[in-house]
Amino acid sequence: MALKDSIVGNLDLGNHCVLYSLDLSAAFDMLRVDLFHDMFKSVIPDGLLKIIVDFLVDRNYFVKVGDSSSIIVNVDRGCPQGSILGPVLFNLYVGRCLEGLENCRIVSYADDTYVVNIGKTLDEAIKTTNSNITRHTANLKNIGMVVNETKTEIVVFSKDAHAMTEIVLEDGIALKTAKKIKALGILDR
């Protein structure tokens, strides 16, 4: 609802919107505990940060099929999935990657992030998208996340965009525009 309201509200104001969603490969598994600690050591009180780090380290796994089991392997990174705390910690970790994005509305939960880039003109919205997606992707890569650029989804919301089939990013990557984002089912009309 927050995305829909942002898009509709901006279109009602005569603005143009470009929505993108980045796909992160093995997102929860890529959280680096050392980086998490460094990012939050001046923000989270020491005792609480120690509890969080203890939650994230010294985890092991093995696979059991019938009576056979694999060896026990230590997990040196990642955030436990299926826990209440996991998505919160993951959001804190990747949330820092959203700092510095401009002229946009961000909706995020766990490894799903949607960024609505806003401009008075379609060209301005595309320029904002270029700047934000470049910064966002670089920030994610800097903390060990793997962005699957071929699965990045983009939708243009503008009365001027009916013939648009792609947006070319500053680094030369062409992103095909879609009529909807699959995860949300939001249409461009």
Side-chain angles (χ1 to χ4, degrees):
M1 290 303 292
L3 279 177
K4 182 183 91 51
D5 289 347
S6 178
I7 293 165
V8 170
N10 274 289
L11 291 175
D12 285 347
L13 293 172
N15 293 325
H16 304 258
C17 300
V18 178
L19 169 70
Y20 74 79
S21 170
L22 298 178
D23 181 75
L24 300 178
S25 299
F28 272 72
D29 298 333
M30 301 305 288
L31 183 143
R32 290 193 35 204
V33 180
D34 58 330
L35 290 178
F36 184 94
H37 180 270
D38 290 346
M39 289 167 69
F40 294 103
K41 66 184 175 191
S42 63
V43 179
I44 298 174
D46 289 340
L48 180 56
L49 186 57
K50 183 177 180 344
I51 291 169
I52 291 170
V53 168
D54 285 346
F55 175 72
L56 294 172
V57 297
D58 294 328
R59 292 179 294 118
N60 300 308
Y61 75 92
F62 70 96
V63 177
K64 182 175 182 175
V65 178
D67 293 333
S68 300
S69 297
S70 69
I71 61 169
I72 296 174
V73 178
N74 182 269
V75 180
D76 64 348
R77 66 172 45 196
C79 186
Q81 297 182 47
S83 67
I84 293 171
L85 190 56
V88 174
L89 296 178
F90 187 82
N91 276 349
L92 286 172
Y93 186 66
V94 298
R96 290 285 176 102
C97 295
L98 301 171
E99 293 173 1
L101 302 188
E102 299 177 345
N103 299 324
C104 63
R105 168 83 161 110
I106 301 163
V107 177
S108 183
Y109 180 74
D111 63 341
D112 294 320
T113 300
Y114 303 93
V115 180
V116 179
N117 300 274
I118 303 157
K120 292 286 183 198
T121 66
L122 180 56
D123 286 341
E124 186 180 307
I126 291 170
K127 184 177 179 182
T128 298
T129 302
N130 246 312
S131 174
N132 285 341
I133 204 167
T134 300
R135 177 175 286 127
H136 192 182
T137 301
N139 290 346
L140 286 164
K141 288 179 180 178
N142 285 339
I143 63 164
M145 291 289 123
V146 177
V147 178
N148 187 342
E149 292 167 349
T150 62
K151 287 188 176 179
T152 294
E153 295 182 298
I154 194 161
V155 179
V156 177
F157 296 89
S158 167
K159 64 183 183 315
D160 303 331
H162 295 295
M164 288 196 74
T165 58
E166 67 181 20
I167 292 178
V168 179
L169 300 180
E170 292 167 354
D171 59 6
I173 294 175
L175 299 175
K176 295 203 180 301
T177 60
K179 294 288 184 191
K180 62 182 177 179
I181 297 261
K182 293 176 198 133
L184 297 176
I186 294 179
L187 301 175
D188 72 344
R189 296 179 207 246

